[in-house]
Coordinates of all heavy atoms in Angstrom, one line a residue:
M63 N -38.0 -27.3 0.1 CA -37.9 -26.5 -1.0 C -37.3 -25.2 -0.6 O -37.6 -24.6 0.4 CB -39.3 -26.2 -1.6 CG -39.3 -25.3 -2.8 SD -40.9 -25.2 -3.6 CE -41.6 -23.8 -2.7
V64 N -36.4 -24.7 -1.4 CA -35.8 -23.4 -1.2 C -36.4 -22.4 -2.2 O -36.6 -22.7 -3.4 CB -34.3 -23.5 -1.4 CG1 -33.6 -22.1 -1.3 CG2 -33.7 -24.5 -0.5
S65 N -36.7 -21.2 -1.8 CA -37.3 -20.2 -2.7 C -36.2 -19.3 -3.2 O -35.4 -18.7 -2.5 CB -38.3 -19.4 -1.9 OG -38.9 -18.4 -2.7
F66 N -36.1 -19.2 -4.5 CA -35.2 -18.2 -5.2 C -36.1 -17.3 -6.0 O -37.0 -17.7 -6.7 CB -34.3 -18.9 -6.2 CG -33.5 -20.0 -5.5 CD1 -33.7 -21.3 -5.7 CD2 -32.4 -19.6 -4.7 CE1 -33.0 -22.3 -5.1 CE2 -31.6 -20.6 -4.1 CZ -31.9 -21.9 -4.3
G67 N -35.9 -16.0 -6.0 CA -36.7 -15.1 -6.7 C -35.9 -14.5 -7.9 O -34.8 -14.7 -8.1
G68 N -36.7 -13.7 -8.7 CA -36.1 -13.0 -9.7 C -36.1 -13.6 -11.1 O -36.5 -14.7 -11.3
K69 N -35.7 -12.7 -12.0 CA -35.6 -13.1 -13.4 C -34.7 -14.2 -13.7 O -34.9 -15.0 -14.6 CB -35.3 -11.9 -14.3 CG -36.4 -10.8 -14.2 CD -36.0 -9.6 -15.1 CE -37.1 -8.5 -15.0 NZ -36.7 -7.4 -15.8
H70 N -33.6 -14.3 -13.0 CA -32.5 -15.3 -13.2 C -33.2 -16.7 -13.1 O -32.9 -17.6 -13.9 CB -31.4 -15.1 -12.2 CG -30.2 -15.9 -12.5 ND1 -29.5 -15.8 -13.7 CD2 -29.5 -16.8 -11.7 CE1 -28.4 -16.7 -13.6 NE2 -28.5 -17.3 -12.5
K71 N -33.9 -16.9 -12.0 CA -34.6 -18.2 -11.8 C -35.5 -18.5 -12.9 O -35.6 -19.6 -13.4 CB -35.3 -18.2 -10.4 CG -35.9 -19.6 -10.2 CD -36.8 -19.5 -9.0 CE -37.5 -20.9 -8.7 NZ -38.2 -21.5 -9.8
L72 N -36.3 -17.5 -13.3 CA -37.3 -17.8 -14.4 C -36.6 -18.2 -15.7 O -37.1 -19.1 -16.4 CB -38.1 -16.5 -14.6 CG -39.1 -16.1 -13.5 CD1 -39.8 -14.8 -13.8 CD2 -40.1 -17.2 -13.3
K73 N -35.5 -17.5 -16.0 CA -34.8 -17.9 -17.2 C -34.2 -19.3 -17.1 O -34.3 -20.1 -18.0 CB -33.6 -16.9 -17.5 CG -34.1 -15.6 -18.0 CD -32.9 -14.7 -18.4 CE -32.2 -14.1 -17.2 NZ -31.2 -13.2 -17.5
L74 N -33.6 -19.6 -15.9 CA -33.1 -21.0 -15.8 C -34.1 -22.1 -15.8 O -34.0 -23.1 -16.4 CB -32.2 -21.0 -14.5 CG -31.0 -20.2 -14.5 CD1 -30.4 -20.2 -13.1 CD2 -30.0 -20.8 -15.5
D75 N -35.3 -21.8 -15.1 CA -36.3 -22.8 -15.1 C -36.8 -23.1 -16.5 O -37.1 -24.2 -16.9 CB -37.5 -22.3 -14.3 CG -37.3 -22.6 -12.8 OD1 -36.3 -23.2 -12.4 OD2 -38.2 -22.1 -12.0
S76 N -36.9 -22.1 -17.4 CA -37.4 -22.3 -18.7 C -36.4 -23.2 -19.5 O -36.8 -24.0 -20.3 CB -37.7 -21.0 -19.5 OG -36.5 -20.3 -19.7
V77 N -35.1 -23.0 -19.3 CA -34.1 -23.8 -19.9 C -34.2 -25.2 -19.4 O -34.1 -26.2 -20.1 CB -32.7 -23.2 -19.7 CG1 -31.6 -24.2 -20.2 CG2 -32.5 -21.9 -20.4
Y78 N -34.3 -25.4 -18.1 CA -34.4 -26.7 -17.5 C -35.6 -27.5 -18.0 O -35.5 -28.7 -18.2 CB -34.4 -26.6 -15.9 CG -33.2 -26.0 -15.3 CD1 -33.2 -25.3 -14.2 CD2 -31.9 -26.1 -16.0 CE1 -32.1 -24.7 -13.6 CE2 -30.8 -25.5 -15.4 CZ -30.9 -24.8 -14.3 OH -29.8 -24.3 -13.7
D79 N -36.7 -26.8 -18.2 CA -37.9 -27.4 -18.8 C -37.6 -28.1 -20.1 O -38.0 -29.2 -20.4 CB -39.0 -26.4 -19.0 CG -39.7 -26.0 -17.7 OD1 -39.6 -26.8 -16.7 OD2 -40.4 -25.0 -17.7
L80 N -36.7 -27.4 -20.9 CA -36.4 -27.9 -22.2 C -35.4 -29.1 -22.2 O -35.5 -30.0 -23.1 CB -35.8 -26.8 -23.1 CG -36.8 -25.6 -23.4 CD1 -36.0 -24.5 -24.1 CD2 -38.0 -26.1 -24.2
I81 N -34.5 -29.1 -21.3 CA -33.4 -30.1 -21.3 C -33.6 -31.3 -20.4 O -32.8 -32.2 -20.5 CB -32.0 -29.5 -21.2 CG1 -31.9 -28.8 -19.8 CG2 -31.8 -28.5 -22.3 CD1 -30.5 -28.4 -19.5
F82 N -34.5 -31.2 -19.4 CA -34.5 -32.2 -18.4 C -34.8 -33.6 -18.9 O -34.3 -34.6 -18.4 CB -35.5 -31.9 -17.3 CG -34.8 -31.5 -16.0 CD1 -34.5 -30.2 -15.7 CD2 -34.5 -32.5 -15.1 CE1 -33.8 -29.9 -14.6 CE2 -33.8 -32.2 -13.9 CZ -33.5 -30.9 -13.7
E83 N -35.6 -33.7 -19.9 CA -35.8 -35.1 -20.5 C -34.6 -35.7 -21.0 O -34.4 -36.9 -20.8 CB -36.9 -35.0 -21.6 CG -38.3 -34.7 -21.1 CD -39.2 -34.6 -22.3 OE1 -39.0 -35.2 -23.4 OE2 -40.3 -34.0 -22.1
K84 N -33.6 -34.9 -21.5 CA -32.4 -35.4 -22.0 C -31.4 -35.8 -20.9 O -30.5 -36.6 -21.0 CB -31.7 -34.4 -23.0 CG -32.5 -34.3 -24.2 CD -31.9 -33.3 -25.2 CE -32.8 -33.1 -26.4 NZ -32.2 -32.2 -27.3
L85 N -31.6 -35.1 -19.7 CA -30.7 -35.3 -18.6 C -31.0 -36.5 -17.8 O -30.2 -37.1 -17.1 CB -30.6 -34.1 -17.7 CG -30.0 -32.8 -18.3 CD1 -30.1 -31.7 -17.2 CD2 -28.6 -33.0 -18.7
Q86 N -32.3 -36.9 -17.8 CA -32.7 -38.0 -17.0 C -32.0 -39.3 -17.4 O -31.9 -39.6 -18.6 CB -34.2 -38.2 -17.0 CG -34.9 -37.1 -16.2 CD -36.4 -37.3 -16.2 OE1 -37.0 -37.8 -17.1 NE2 -37.0 -36.9 -15.0
N87 N -31.7 -40.1 -16.5 CA -31.0 -41.4 -16.7 C -29.7 -41.3 -17.4 O -29.2 -42.2 -18.0 CB -31.9 -42.3 -17.5 CG -33.3 -42.5 -16.8 OD1 -33.3 -42.8 -15.6 ND2 -34.3 -42.4 -17.6
Q88 N -29.0 -40.1 -17.3 CA -27.7 -40.0 -17.8 C -26.8 -39.3 -16.8 O -27.2 -38.4 -16.1 CB -27.7 -39.0 -19.1 CG -28.4 -39.6 -20.3 CD -28.2 -38.7 -21.5 OE1 -27.2 -38.1 -21.6 NE2 -29.2 -38.8 -22.4
K89 N -25.6 -39.8 -16.7 CA -24.6 -39.1 -15.9 C -24.1 -37.9 -16.5 O -24.0 -37.8 -17.8 CB -23.4 -40.1 -15.6 CG -23.7 -41.3 -14.9 CD -22.5 -42.2 -14.7 CE -22.9 -43.5 -14.1 NZ -22.9 -43.5 -12.7
F90 N -23.9 -36.8 -15.8 CA -23.4 -35.6 -16.3 C -22.7 -34.8 -15.3 O -22.8 -35.1 -14.1 CB -24.5 -34.7 -17.0 CG -25.6 -34.3 -16.0 CD1 -25.5 -33.0 -15.5 CD2 -26.6 -35.1 -15.7 CE1 -26.5 -32.5 -14.6 CE2 -27.6 -34.6 -14.8 CZ -27.5 -33.3 -14.3
D91 N -21.9 -33.8 -15.7 CA -21.1 -32.9 -14.9 C -21.7 -31.5 -15.0 O -22.3 -31.2 -16.1 CB -19.7 -32.8 -15.3 CG -18.9 -34.2 -15.1 OD1 -19.4 -35.0 -14.3 OD2 -17.9 -34.4 -15.8
I92 N -21.5 -30.7 -14.0 CA -21.9 -29.3 -14.0 C -20.6 -28.5 -13.9 O -19.8 -28.7 -13.0 CB -22.9 -28.9 -12.9 CG1 -24.2 -29.7 -13.0 CG2 -23.1 -27.4 -12.8 CD1 -25.1 -29.5 -11.9
V93 N -20.5 -27.5 -14.8 CA -19.4 -26.5 -14.7 C -20.1 -25.2 -14.6 O -20.8 -24.7 -15.5 CB -18.5 -26.5 -15.9 CG1 -17.4 -25.4 -15.7 CG2 -17.8 -27.9 -16.0
D94 N -20.0 -24.5 -13.4 CA -20.7 -23.3 -13.1 C -19.6 -22.2 -13.1 O -19.0 -21.9 -12.1 CB -21.4 -23.3 -11.8 CG -22.5 -22.2 -11.6 OD1 -22.4 -21.2 -12.3 OD2 -23.3 -22.4 -10.7
W95 N -19.4 -21.6 -14.3 CA -18.4 -20.6 -14.5 C -18.9 -19.2 -14.1 O -20.0 -18.8 -14.6 CB -17.9 -20.6 -16.0 CG -16.8 -19.7 -16.3 CD1 -15.5 -19.8 -15.9 CD2 -16.8 -18.5 -17.1 NE1 -14.7 -18.8 -16.4 CE2 -15.5 -18.0 -17.1 CE3 -17.9 -17.9 -17.7 CZ2 -15.3 -16.8 -17.8 CZ3 -17.6 -16.7 -18.4 CH2 -16.3 -16.2 -18.4
G96 N -18.1 -18.5 -13.3 CA -18.6 -17.2 -12.8 C -19.8 -17.4 -11.9 O -20.8 -16.7 -11.9
C97 N -19.6 -18.4 -11.1 CA -20.8 -18.9 -10.3 C -21.3 -18.0 -9.2 O -22.4 -18.2 -8.7 CB -20.4 -20.3 -9.7 SG -19.1 -20.2 -8.4
G98 N -20.5 -17.1 -8.8 CA -20.9 -16.3 -7.6 C -21.1 -17.3 -6.4 O -20.2 -18.0 -6.1
Q99 N -22.3 -17.3 -5.9 CA -22.6 -18.2 -4.8 C -23.3 -19.5 -5.3 O -24.0 -20.1 -4.5 CB -23.4 -17.5 -3.7 CG -22.7 -16.4 -3.1 CD -23.5 -15.6 -2.1 OE1 -24.5 -16.2 -1.5 NE2 -23.2 -14.4 -1.8
A100 N -23.0 -19.8 -6.5 CA -23.6 -21.0 -7.2 C -25.1 -21.0 -7.3 O -25.8 -22.0 -7.2 CB -23.1 -22.3 -6.4
I101 N -25.6 -19.8 -7.6 CA -27.1 -19.7 -7.8 C -27.6 -20.6 -8.9 O -28.6 -21.2 -8.7 CB -27.5 -18.2 -8.0 CG1 -27.0 -17.3 -6.9 CG2 -29.0 -18.1 -8.3 CD1 -27.6 -17.6 -5.5
A102 N -27.0 -20.6 -10.0 CA -27.5 -21.4 -11.2 C -27.5 -22.9 -10.8 O -28.5 -23.6 -11.1 CB -26.7 -21.2 -12.4
T103 N -26.5 -23.4 -10.1 CA -26.5 -24.7 -9.7 C -27.6 -25.0 -8.6 O -28.3 -26.0 -8.7 CB -25.1 -25.1 -9.1 OG1 -24.1 -24.9 -10.2 CG2 -25.0 -26.6 -8.7
M104 N -27.7 -24.1 -7.7 CA -28.8 -24.2 -6.7 C -30.2 -24.3 -7.3 O -31.0 -25.1 -6.9 CB -28.7 -23.1 -5.7 CG -27.6 -23.1 -4.8 SD -27.6 -21.9 -3.4 CE -28.1 -20.4 -4.2
V105 N -30.4 -23.4 -8.3 CA -31.7 -23.4 -9.0 C -31.9 -24.8 -9.7 O -33.0 -25.3 -9.6 CB -31.8 -22.2 -10.0 CG1 -33.1 -22.4 -10.9 CG2 -31.8 -20.9 -9.3
L106 N -30.9 -25.3 -10.3 CA -31.0 -26.6 -11.0 C -31.4 -27.7 -9.9 O -32.3 -28.5 -10.1 CB -29.7 -27.0 -11.7 CG -29.7 -28.5 -12.2 CD1 -30.6 -28.6 -13.3 CD2 -28.3 -28.8 -12.6
L107 N -30.6 -27.7 -8.8 CA -30.9 -28.7 -7.8 C -32.3 -28.6 -7.2 O -33.0 -29.5 -6.9 CB -29.8 -28.7 -6.7 CG -28.4 -29.0 -7.2 CD1 -27.4 -28.8 -6.0 CD2 -28.3 -30.4 -7.7
N108 N -32.7 -27.3 -6.9 CA -34.0 -27.0 -6.4 C -35.1 -27.4 -7.4 O -36.1 -28.0 -7.0 CB -34.1 -25.6 -6.0 CG -35.3 -25.3 -5.1 OD1 -35.4 -25.8 -4.0 ND2 -36.3 -24.6 -5.7
Y109 N -34.9 -27.2 -8.7 CA -35.8 -27.6 -9.7 C -36.0 -29.1 -9.7 O -37.2 -29.6 -9.7 CB -35.3 -27.1 -11.1 CG -36.1 -27.5 -12.3 CD1 -37.0 -26.6 -12.8 CD2 -36.1 -28.8 -12.8 CE1 -37.8 -26.9 -13.9 CE2 -36.8 -29.1 -13.9 CZ -37.7 -28.1 -14.5 OH -38.5 -28.5 -15.5
A110 N -35.0 -29.8 -9.6 CA -35.1 -31.3 -9.5 C -35.9 -31.7 -8.3 O -36.7 -32.6 -8.4 CB -33.7 -31.9 -9.5
I111 N -35.6 -31.1 -7.1 CA -36.4 -31.4 -5.9 C -37.9 -31.1 -6.2 O -38.7 -31.9 -5.9 CB -35.9 -30.6 -4.7 CG1 -34.5 -31.1 -4.3 CG2 -36.8 -30.7 -3.5 CD1 -33.7 -30.2 -3.4
D112 N -38.2 -29.9 -6.7 CA -39.6 -29.5 -6.9 C -40.3 -30.5 -7.9 O -41.5 -30.8 -7.7 CB -39.7 -28.1 -7.5 CG -39.4 -27.0 -6.5 OD1 -39.3 -27.4 -5.3 OD2 -39.2 -25.9 -6.9
K113 N -39.6 -31.0 -8.9 CA -40.2 -31.9 -9.9 C -40.0 -33.3 -9.6 O -40.4 -34.2 -10.4 CB -39.5 -31.6 -11.3 CG -39.7 -30.2 -11.8 CD -41.1 -29.9 -12.3 CE -41.1 -28.5 -12.8 NZ -42.4 -28.1 -13.4
N114 N -39.4 -33.6 -8.4 CA -39.2 -35.0 -8.0 C -38.4 -35.8 -9.0 O -38.7 -36.9 -9.4 CB -40.5 -35.7 -7.6 CG -40.3 -36.9 -6.8 OD1 -39.3 -37.0 -6.0 ND2 -41.2 -37.9 -6.8
I115 N -37.3 -35.2 -9.5 CA -36.4 -35.8 -10.4 C -35.1 -36.1 -9.8 O -34.5 -35.3 -9.1 CB -36.2 -34.8 -11.6 CG1 -37.5 -34.5 -12.3 CG2 -35.1 -35.4 -12.6 CD1 -37.4 -33.4 -13.3
I116 N -34.6 -37.3 -10.0 CA -33.3 -37.7 -9.5 C -32.2 -37.4 -10.6 O -32.3 -37.9 -11.7 CB -33.2 -39.2 -9.1 CG1 -34.3 -39.5 -8.0 CG2 -31.8 -39.6 -8.6 CD1 -34.2 -38.7 -6.7
L117 N -31.3 -36.6 -10.2 CA -30.2 -36.3 -11.2 C -29.0 -37.1 -10.9 O -28.6 -37.3 -9.8 CB -29.8 -34.8 -11.1 CG -30.9 -33.8 -11.3 CD1 -30.4 -32.4 -11.0 CD2 -31.4 -33.9 -12.7
D118 N -28.4 -37.6 -12.0 CA -27.1 -38.4 -11.8 C -25.9 -37.6 -12.1 O -25.2 -37.8 -13.1 CB -27.2 -39.6 -12.8 CG -26.2 -40.7 -12.4 OD1 -25.5 -40.5 -11.3 OD2 -26.2 -41.7 -13.1
I119 N -25.7 -36.6 -11.3 CA -24.6 -35.7 -11.4 C -23.3 -36.4 -10.8 O -23.4 -36.9 -9.7 CB -24.8 -34.4 -10.6 CG1 -26.1 -33.7 -11.1 CG2 -23.6 -33.4 -10.6 CD1 -26.6 -32.5 -10.3
E120 N -22.2 -36.4 -11.5 CA -21.0 -36.9 -11.0 C -20.1 -35.9 -10.4 O -19.6 -36.1 -9.3 CB -20.3 -37.7 -12.1 CG -21.0 -38.9 -12.6 CD -20.1 -39.8 -13.5 OE1 -19.3 -39.2 -14.3 OE2 -20.2 -41.0 -13.4
N121 N -19.9 -34.8 -11.1 CA -19.0 -33.7 -10.7 C -19.6 -32.4 -10.8 O -20.3 -32.1 -11.8 CB -17.7 -33.7 -11.5 CG -17.0 -35.1 -11.5 OD1 -16.5 -35.5 -10.5 ND2 -17.1 -35.8 -12.6
I122 N -19.3 -31.5 -9.9 CA -19.7 -30.1 -10.0 C -18.5 -29.3 -9.8 O -17.7 -29.4 -8.8 CB -20.7 -29.7 -8.9 CG1 -22.0 -30.5 -9.0 CG2 -21.0 -28.2 -8.9 CD1 -23.1 -30.2 -7.9
T123 N -18.2 -28.4 -10.8 CA -17.0 -27.5 -10.7 C -17.5 -26.1 -10.7 O -18.3 -25.6 -11.5 CB -16.1 -27.7 -12.0 OG1 -15.7 -29.0 -12.1 CG2 -14.9 -26.8 -11.9
L124 N -17.1 -25.4 -9.6 CA -17.5 -24.0 -9.4 C -16.3 -23.1 -9.7 O -15.2 -23.3 -9.1 CB -18.0 -23.7 -8.0 CG -19.1 -24.6 -7.5 CD1 -19.4 -24.3 -6.0 CD2 -20.4 -24.3 -8.4
I125 N -16.4 -22.1 -10.6 CA -15.3 -21.3 -11.0 C -15.7 -19.8 -10.7 O -16.7 -19.3 -11.1 CB -15.0 -21.4 -12.5 CG1 -14.7 -22.9 -12.8 CG2 -13.8 -20.5 -12.8 CD1 -14.6 -23.2 -14.3
E126 N -14.9 -19.2 -9.8 CA -15.3 -17.8 -9.4 C -14.0 -17.1 -8.8 O -13.2 -17.8 -8.1 CB -16.3 -18.0 -8.3 CG -16.7 -16.8 -7.5 CD -17.3 -15.6 -8.3 OE1 -18.0 -15.9 -9.3 OE2 -17.2 -14.5 -7.9
P127 N -13.9 -15.8 -9.0 CA -12.7 -15.2 -8.4 C -12.8 -14.9 -6.9 O -11.7 -14.8 -6.2 CB -12.6 -13.8 -9.1 CG -14.0 -13.6 -9.8 CD -14.6 -15.0 -9.9
S128 N -13.9 -15.0 -6.3 CA -14.1 -14.7 -4.9 C -14.1 -16.0 -4.1 O -15.0 -16.8 -4.2 CB -15.4 -13.9 -4.6 OG -15.7 -13.9 -3.2
G129 N -13.1 -16.1 -3.2 CA -13.0 -17.3 -2.4 C -14.2 -17.4 -1.4 O -14.7 -18.5 -1.2
L130 N -14.7 -16.3 -0.9 CA -15.9 -16.3 0.0 C -17.1 -16.7 -0.8 O -17.9 -17.6 -0.3 CB -16.1 -14.8 0.5 CG -17.3 -14.7 1.5 CD1 -17.1 -15.6 2.7 CD2 -17.4 -13.2 1.9
S131 N -17.3 -16.3 -2.0 CA -18.4 -16.7 -2.8 C -18.4 -18.2 -3.1 O -19.4 -18.9 -3.0 CB -18.5 -16.0 -4.1 OG -18.9 -14.6 -3.9
L132 N -17.2 -18.7 -3.4 CA -17.0 -20.2 -3.6 C -17.4 -21.0 -2.4 O -18.1 -22.0 -2.5 CB -15.6 -20.5 -4.0 CG -15.1 -20.1 -5.4 CD1 -13.6 -20.3 -5.6 CD2 -15.9 -21.0 -6.4
S133 N -17.0 -20.5 -1.2 CA -17.3 -21.2 0.0 C -18.8 -21.2 0.3 O -19.4 -22.3 0.7 CB -16.6 -20.5 1.2 OG -15.2 -20.6 1.1
R134 N -19.4 -20.1 0.0 CA -20.9 -20.0 0.2 C -21.6 -21.0 -0.8 O -22.6 -21.6 -0.5 CB -21.4 -18.6 0.0 CG -20.9 -17.6 1.0 CD -21.6 -17.7 2.3 NE -23.0 -17.4 2.2 CZ -23.9 -17.4 3.1 NH1 -23.5 -17.9 4.3 NH2 -25.1 -17.1 2.9
G135 N -21.1 -21.0 -2.1 CA -21.6 -21.9 -3.1 C -21.6 -23.3 -2.7 O -22.6 -24.0 -2.9
V136 N -20.5 -23.8 -2.1 CA -20.4 -25.1 -1.7 C -21.4 -25.4 -0.6 O -22.0 -26.5 -0.6 CB -18.9 -25.5 -1.2 CG1 -18.8 -26.8 -0.5 CG2 -18.0 -25.4 -2.4
L137 N -21.5 -24.5 0.4 CA -22.5 -24.7 1.4 C -23.9 -24.8 0.9 O -24.7 -25.6 1.3 CB -22.4 -23.5 2.4 CG -21.2 -23.5 3.3 CD1 -21.2 -22.2 4.2 CD2 -21.2 -24.7 4.2
H138 N -24.2 -24.0 -0.1 CA -25.6 -24.0 -0.7 C -25.8 -25.4 -1.4 O -26.9 -26.0 -1.3 CB -25.7 -22.9 -1.8 CG -25.8 -21.5 -1.2 ND1 -25.3 -20.4 -1.9 CD2 -26.1 -21.1 0.0 CE1 -25.5 -19.4 -1.1 NE2 -25.9 -19.7 0.1
I139 N -24.8 -25.9 -2.1 CA -24.9 -27.1 -2.8 C -25.1 -28.3 -1.8 O -25.9 -29.2 -2.0 CB -23.7 -27.4 -3.7 CG1 -23.8 -26.4 -4.9 CG2 -23.7 -28.9 -4.2 CD1 -22.5 -26.4 -5.7
E140 N -24.4 -28.2 -0.7 CA -24.5 -29.2 0.3 C -25.9 -29.3 0.9 O -26.4 -30.4 1.2 CB -23.5 -28.9 1.5 CG -22.0 -29.1 1.1 CD -21.6 -30.6 0.9 OE1 -22.3 -31.5 1.5 OE2 -20.7 -30.8 0.1
T141 N -26.6 -28.2 1.0 CA -27.9 -28.1 1.5 C -28.9 -28.8 0.5 O -29.9 -29.4 1.0 CB -28.3 -26.6 1.7 OG1 -27.4 -26.0 2.6 CG2 -29.7 -26.5 2.3
L142 N -28.7 -28.7 -0.8 CA -29.7 -29.1 -1.8 C -29.3 -30.5 -2.4 O -30.1 -31.0 -3.2 CB -29.9 -28.1 -2.8 CG -30.5 -26.8 -2.4 CD1 -30.4 -25.7 -3.5 CD2 -31.9 -27.0 -2.0
K143 N -28.1 -31.0 -2.2 CA -27.7 -32.2 -2.9 C -28.5 -33.4 -2.7 O -29.1 -33.6 -1.6 CB -26.2 -32.5 -2.6 CG -26.0 -33.0 -1.2 CD -24.5 -33.2 -1.0 CE -24.3 -33.7 0.4 NZ -22.9 -33.8 0.7
Q144 N -28.7 -34.2 -3.7 CA -29.4 -35.5 -3.6 C -28.5 -36.6 -3.2 O -29.0 -37.7 -2.8 CB -30.1 -35.8 -5.0 CG -31.1 -34.7 -5.3 CD -31.6 -35.0 -6.7 OE1 -31.0 -35.6 -7.6 NE2 -32.9 -34.5 -7.0
K145 N -27.2 -36.5 -3.5 CA -26.2 -37.5 -3.2 C -24.9 -36.8 -3.0 O -24.8 -35.6 -3.1 CB -26.1 -38.6 -4.2 CG -25.6 -38.1 -5.6 CD -25.4 -39.2 -6.6 CE -24.7 -38.7 -7.8 NZ -24.3 -39.7 -8.7
N146 N -23.8 -37.5 -2.7 CA -22.5 -36.9 -2.6 C -22.0 -36.7 -4.0 O -21.8 -37.6 -4.8 CB -21.6 -37.8 -1.8 CG -21.9 -37.8 -0.3 OD1 -22.3 -36.7 0.2 ND2 -21.8 -38.9 0.4
Y147 N -21.7 -35.4 -4.3 CA -21.1 -35.1 -5.5 C -19.6 -34.8 -5.3 O -19.2 -34.3 -4.2 CB -21.7 -33.8 -6.1 CG -23.2 -33.8 -6.2 CD1 -24.0 -32.8 -5.6 CD2 -23.9 -34.8 -6.9 CE1 -25.3 -32.8 -5.7 CE2 -25.3 -34.8 -7.0 CZ -26.0 -33.8 -6.4 OH -27.3 -33.8 -6.5
N148 N -18.8 -35.0 -6.3 CA -17.4 -34.5 -6.3 C -17.5 -33.0 -6.6 O -17.8 -32.6 -7.8 CB -16.6 -35.3 -7.3 CG -15.2 -34.8 -7.3 OD1 -14.6 -34.3 -6.4 ND2 -14.6 -34.9 -8.5
I149 N -17.3 -32.1 -5.6 CA -17.3 -30.7 -5.9 C -15.9 -30.1 -5.9 O -15.2 -30.3 -4.9 CB -18.1 -30.0 -4.7 CG1 -19.6 -30.6 -4.7 CG2 -18.2 -28.5 -5.0 CD1 -20.4 -30.1 -3.5
K150 N -15.6 -29.5 -7.0 CA -14.3 -28.9 -7.2 C -14.5 -27.4 -7.3 O -15.4 -26.9 -8.0 CB -13.6 -29.4 -8.4 CG -12.3 -28.8 -8.7 CD -11.7 -29.4 -10.0 CE -10.3 -28.8 -10.3 NZ -9.8 -29.3 -11.5
T151 N -13.7 -26.6 -6.6 CA -13.7 -25.1 -6.7 C -12.4 -24.6 -7.3 O -11.4 -25.1 -7.0 CB -13.9 -24.5 -5.3 OG1 -12.9 -24.8 -4.5 CG2 -15.3 -24.9 -4.7
I152 N -12.6 -23.6 -8.2 CA -11.5 -23.0 -8.8 C -11.6 -21.5 -8.6 O -12.5 -20.9 -9.1 CB -11.4 -23.3 -10.3 CG1 -11.3 -24.8 -10.6 CG2 -10.3 -22.6 -11.0 CD1 -11.4 -25.3 -12.0
K153 N -10.6 -21.0 -7.9 CA -10.6 -19.5 -7.7 C -9.8 -18.9 -8.8 O -8.6 -18.9 -8.8 CB -10.0 -19.2 -6.3 CG -10.1 -17.7 -5.9 CD -9.5 -17.4 -4.6 CE -9.5 -15.9 -4.4 NZ -8.7 -15.6 -3.2
Q154 N -10.6 -18.3 -9.7 CA -9.9 -17.8 -10.9 C -10.8 -16.6 -11.4 O -12.0 -16.6 -11.4 CB -9.9 -18.9 -12.0 CG -9.3 -18.4 -13.3 CD -9.3 -19.6 -14.3 OE1 -9.4 -20.7 -14.0 NE2 -9.3 -19.2 -15.6
G155 N -10.1 -15.6 -11.9 CA -10.7 -14.4 -12.5 C -11.5 -14.8 -13.7 O -11.2 -15.7 -14.4
I156 N -12.5 -13.9 -13.9 CA -13.4 -14.2 -15.1 C -12.9 -13.4 -16.3 O -12.6 -12.3 -16.2 CB -14.8 -13.9 -14.7 CG1 -15.2 -14.8 -13.5 CG2 -15.8 -14.0 -15.9 CD1 -16.6 -14.5 -12.9

């Protein structure tokens, strides 16, 4: 388990509580726009680990103007992933 603090995690967890039933047993993609270091995606992956939920993610797209942040985001996802995802990064201004 990875620990994330702050209000951002609390907001995301409350959203994940509402939508997780709909995500189970369905393939889906993640687009994390303005991702920074992919914190929102990490919180989602960590949430699934904490709740023992297997996510059927096919693709993750990270969009961020900072190449360094994108690189860190990919490393974070690699640490928490449940399977091999197709991870695409787009270095683009917000």
Side-chain angles (χ1 to χ4, degrees):
M63 178 172 91
V64 177
S65 177
F66 303 103
K69 293 179 183 179
H70 190 60
K71 181 191 181 307
L72 292 174
K73 286 189 282 187
L74 291 171
D75 279 351
S76 68
V77 170
Y78 299 150
D79 285 339
L80 296 173
I81 64 171
F82 250 90
E83 289 181 20
K84 294 180 182 182
L85 293 178
Q86 287 184 325
N87 303 317
Q88 291 189 31
K89 294 179 188 272
F90 64 98
D91 296 337
I92 295 173
V93 177
D94 195 342
W95 182 72
C97 67
Q99 296 179 24
I101 300 296
T103 301
M104 289 189 313
V105 171
L106 172 69
L107 297 175
N108 193 64
Y109 179 96
I111 291 167
D112 287 348
K113 301 285 185 175
N114 200 26
I115 298 169
I116 303 298
L117 301 175
D118 198 1
I119 301 167
E120 290 191 325
N121 303 292
I122 298 176
T123 302
L124 303 176
I125 304 168
E126 170 63 28
S128 168
L130 181 58
S131 289
L132 284 171
S133 297
R134 297 283 295 176
V136 170
L137 289 174
H138 293 152
I139 291 168
E140 291 290 331
T141 301
L142 294 169
K143 68 184 181 182
Q144 297 174 333
K145 65 175 190 171
N146 286 324
Y147 309 124
N148 178 30
I149 301 173
K150 180 180 180 183
T151 59
I152 300 172
K153 186 178 175 192
Q154 178 179 337
I156 299 172

